[in-house]
Amino acid sequence: KDYFEQLEAPVKELIVINGGNHVQYMDREMAEVPVRLGIDNPPTIDTDSQHQQSKAGFLRWLNQHL
């Protein structure tokens, strides 16, 4: 969040997805490997749920600003 506050973009929005992790933005099959290797924290929501929540946030932002 500190990085977000320092962004100088005129329009920005922080979308928090509780239970998600970084690698789950990839395809499901690719996201499982880094978690098994301990590269990212295990998620508490599934990949599809994270994708749905992020898409909803992106679409909301795009519809508002474009």
Side-chain angles (χ1 to χ4, degrees):
K1 290 184 179 180
D2 291 333
Y3 176 76
F4 177 79
E5 295 300 328
Q6 295 175 21
L7 291 175
E8 296 180 7
V11 178
K12 60 185 179 178
E13 181 178 344
L14 176 64
I15 299 171
V16 176
I17 300 176
N18 292 317
N21 67 11
H22 298 91
V23 297
Q24 278 198 141
Y25 287 105
M26 298 187 292
D27 291 336
R28 183 182 307 108
E29 295 79 19
M30 295 296 293
E32 292 173 357
V33 175
V35 171
R36 281 198 306 263
L37 296 174
I39 295 171
D40 201 355
N41 293 323
T44 58
I45 61 173
D46 63 28
T47 304
D48 290 336
S49 179
Q50 182 166 329
H51 285 195
Q52 290 171 351
Q53 290 180 53
S54 62
K55 286 177 192 176
F58 299 147
L59 287 173
R60 198 171 39 250
W61 189 91
L62 289 170
N63 286 330
Q64 182 178 356
H65 298 288
L66 296 182

